[in-house]
Amino acid sequence: MTKSEPKRSGLAAVNAAGKCATSAEPDDDVSAESGCPSQSAHVKANVMKQPSRESTHRRNTECEVYDDGTNTFFWRAHTVTVLFILTCALVYVTLLEETPQDTTYNAKRGIVASILVFLCFGVTQAKDGPFTRPHPAYWRFWLCVTVVYELFLIFILFQTVHDGRQFMKYIDPKLGVPLPERDYGGNCLMYDPGNTTDPFHNIWDKIDGFVPAHFLGWYIKTLMIRDWWMCMIISVMFEFLEYSLEHQLPNFSECWWDHWIMDVLVCNGLGIYCGMKTLAWLSMKPYQWQGLWNILTYKGKIKRIAFQFTPYSWVKFEWKPASNLRRWLAVLGIIFMFLLAELNTFYLKFVLWMPPEHYLVLLRLVFFVNVGGVAMREIYDFMDDPKFHKKLGQQAWLVAAITVTEFLIVVKYDPNTIMLPLPFFITQCWFLGIVLIFGWTVWRFFFRAVKERKRKRKCLHTSHTCQSA
């Protein structure tokens, strides 16, 4: 496989060669992230790779990338090697290994082997997405994992409630039994004078492993969304959802200071702040790449290896939800799907009887961390430039399907909980919010748009003073 990233930087390489032609020879100690690559390297890259459709399509929010076009063993596909190793493994199982007489064990091993073969195929043959660092195979692996997870959810969806919950025992024998949810409400005094030993015990009780998880989660979400306002809206809206649904799930019942101080201000707010600082650094850093063997010093090589785990290039997200109706509806849809995926985290473990600290809950979060960023980039590309990106990306499509499938599992497995009516006051608040959003949408994109079109037509038929005004 030829490295896909230099394809997008073919024209940039020519420009960089011209810029570097008059500059002094770069210091050997400068890594791929700083300084100008050599002119000959850029000319070589331009000869090897002709300008493609991607290289001529660059938005004003996308940074310039310079690459010397090095194509090493690390970047090749190795399709034949993987096929040979896979065939040898299957031959060993078939001819040299005695098949156990345990039906359950054989079924588990067969399913795992089928998944591994599919992953091997996908890692070597699947279509590349928008991300290519640290390696395109890494993101192809997560694309295949997304397919496997969606198929697993479909299988669970087609089972009866009892069979679906008992099937989880095949994954972990400790599952399949109902577990009580922890109530975070109760005594909400920040300072409890009745407890002479530790009057601040309520605060310490709320500080557990989920506090750093909240911070880290919102730090990563900020890197995905790349917009402060959208992150804050999702953060605040989820707290309102917890208020609204605490009659359905007991662990949504939290103290007011747990909602607004510990969650919104401390954990979420600090995570969003750190995420925005990281985004500022990523948007300002130079994206100049050299092959590892083209760097002469060990310091430069170590720095180049470290920067392999940073993005190859950077695109600043400008959502502009009020610019037109299509972008406004897209942003509303993104916020809705984010909130639904957050709710699925709590409802899934409730209906499938999984304790919050179970490793499957953690694995699901790790899964969304790895696929969420790709999905958001594909959604942004599809929304920002539909003429160039004519269809929704594969990872975005799968993540949307997974979110909907998870919600359908929740509805099927415990409809009584989902259908518990909202309190009247909560219903009024949500109805008022929906009416305000709908009213603003009609005013902004219909009434105001009509007035603006009439004003522009009027100006076209009047004097130059009207146009300048």
Side-chain angles (χ1 to χ4, degrees):
M1 178 192 68
T2 302
K3 185 171 60 173
S4 60
E5 295 135 344
K7 292 182 180 179
R8 300 197 297 271
S9 56
L11 296 180
V14 179
N15 297 333
K19 292 178 183 177
C20 296
T22 59
S23 63
E25 182 178 354
D27 185 6
D28 290 339
D29 211 26
V30 177
S31 74
E33 296 300 320
S34 60
C36 284
S38 64
Q39 179 180 3
S40 61
H42 283 301
V43 173
K44 179 182 178 182
N46 189 49
V47 172
M48 292 172 59
K49 299 175 177 63
Q50 296 296 325
S52 62
R53 184 166 175 250
E54 288 83 357
S55 65
T56 59
H57 178 80
R58 183 178 295 279
R59 291 169 291 199
N60 57 2
T61 57
E62 186 173 358
C63 69
E64 292 289 338
V65 180
Y66 307 94
D67 197 316
D68 65 0
T70 301
N71 185 29
T72 62
F73 179 86
F74 177 73
W75 289 103
R76 293 165 195 155
H78 308 292
T79 52
V80 177
T81 304
V82 173
L83 178 61
F84 176 76
I85 295 174
L86 180 62
T87 303
C88 290
L90 295 178
V91 169
Y92 171 81
V93 172
T94 303
L95 301 180
L96 302 179
E97 186 179 74
E98 183 178 355
T99 304
Q101 299 302 314
D102 189 341
T103 304
T104 302
Y105 173 77
N106 290 336
K108 289 182 180 180
R109 195 171 68 152
I111 292 174
V112 172
S114 301
I115 294 174
L116 290 177
V117 171
F118 174 73
L119 293 178
C120 289
F121 166 79
V123 166
T124 55
Q125 302 290 346
K127 178 183 175 182
D128 285 338
F131 292 172
T132 51
R133 293 298 167 92
H135 195 281
Y138 177 81
W139 302 107
R140 292 197 294 266
F141 168 80
W142 283 107
L143 173 66
C144 297
V145 171
T146 308
V147 175
V148 173
Y149 181 52
E150 171 64 5
L151 296 177
F152 169 76
L153 292 176
I154 295 295
F155 176 82
I156 293 294
L157 182 65
F158 276 77
Q159 307 307 306
T160 64
V161 176
H162 177 267
D163 290 344
R165 287 169 175 168
Q166 296 306 310
F167 177 80
M168 302 301 293
K169 286 187 174 182
Y170 289 99
I171 302 175
D172 187 347
K174 297 180 182 178
L175 297 177
V177 294
L179 297 173
E181 286 285 335
R182 178 183 174 185
D183 186 1
Y184 284 82
N187 187 358
C188 287
L189 293 175
M190 298 182 68
Y191 179 84
D192 187 3
N195 191 322
T196 57
T197 304
D198 186 5
F200 294 99
H201 68 95
N202 286 329
I203 297 179
W204 311 132
D205 290 342
K206 302 299 184 293
I207 299 177
D208 51 19
F210 291 100
V211 171
H214 269 273
F215 166 79
L216 183 61
W218 273 104
Y219 174 77
I220 296 174
K221 290 171 191 174
T222 306
L223 299 183
M224 295 179 187
I225 301 174
R226 307 183 192 180
D227 185 84
W228 185 84
W229 279 107
M230 283 183 64
C231 290
M232 288 304 301
I233 289 172
I234 294 174
S235 175
V236 173
M237 285 294 295
F238 185 73
E239 299 303 322
F240 279 116
L241 283 173
E242 285 191 323
Y243 270 123
S244 305
L245 301 173
E246 63 181 17
H247 67 290
Q248 295 184 2
L249 293 186
N251 64 331
F252 281 162
S253 179
E254 298 178 350
C255 300
W256 67 268
W257 48 267
D258 200 358
H259 279 293
W260 304 113
I261 297 179
M262 293 189 64
D263 285 353
V264 175
L265 293 181
V266 178
C267 299
N268 302 357
L270 188 59
I272 294 172
Y273 173 79
C274 294
M276 294 304 298
K277 288 296 182 182
T278 305
L279 291 174
W281 175 76
L282 289 171
S283 63
M284 296 298 294
K285 69 181 292 288
Y287 290 89
Q288 300 169 351
W289 302 101
Q290 285 179 273
L292 186 64
W293 306 115
N294 296 334
I295 303 172
L296 301 181
T297 63
Y298 287 110
K299 179 181 177 181
K301 292 179 186 293
I302 293 173
K303 190 175 181 181
R304 175 63 181 82
I305 293 173
F307 276 112
Q308 182 68 26
F309 296 90
T310 63
Y312 174 79
S313 63
W314 191 252
V315 175
K316 181 182 178 182
F317 286 4
E318 294 182 353
W319 294 103
K320 298 178 182 178
S323 60
N324 56 65
L325 180 61
R326 183 176 185 272
R327 296 180 77 99
W328 170 248
L329 295 178
V331 170
L332 289 181
I334 291 170
I335 293 175
F336 174 79
M337 294 300 287
F338 247 94
L339 294 174
L340 183 60
E342 293 275 4
L343 289 176
N344 287 342
T345 304
F346 296 90
Y347 279 94
L348 267 181
K349 58 188 179 70
F350 178 78
V351 301
L352 294 179
W353 296 347
M354 289 188 293
E357 64 277 4
H358 196 271
Y359 72 89
L360 289 180
V361 179
L362 178 61
L363 286 179
R364 179 183 175 275
L365 297 178
V366 172
F367 164 77
F368 273 103
V369 164
N370 283 276
V371 304
V374 182
M376 288 301 299
R377 173 63 185 274
E378 291 176 343
I379 292 172
Y380 180 79
D381 288 340
F382 180 70
M383 181 193 72
D384 190 59
D385 194 356
K387 292 183 180 179
F388 186 78
H389 302 276
K390 298 184 182 297
K391 61 180 182 180
L392 185 64
Q394 51 194 4
Q395 193 68 272
W397 191 94
L398 284 168
V399 169
I402 284 173
T403 304
V404 173
T405 308
E406 287 181 340
F407 179 71
L408 293 177
I409 291 174
V410 173
V411 172
K412 177 178 179 178
Y413 277 52
D414 198 348
N416 296 328
T417 299
I418 296 297
M419 298 302 175
L420 285 177
L422 297 175
F424 181 68
F425 173 74
I426 299 296
T427 304
Q428 287 181 316
C429 292
W430 281 105
F431 179 77
L432 177 62
I434 294 173
V435 169
L436 290 176
I437 293 175
F438 180 78
W440 187 88
T441 302
V442 173
W443 172 80
R444 175 64 181 84
F445 299 108
F446 293 94
F447 293 143
R448 183 179 172 182
V450 170
K451 289 182 179 180
E452 289 179 353
R453 284 195 295 268
K454 288 182 179 179
R455 184 180 62 82
K456 290 180 180 178
R457 272 194 236 104
K458 184 178 180 181
C459 287
L460 290 175
H461 295 288
T462 56
S463 64
H464 177 71
T465 56
C466 178
Q467 295 181 9
S468 61

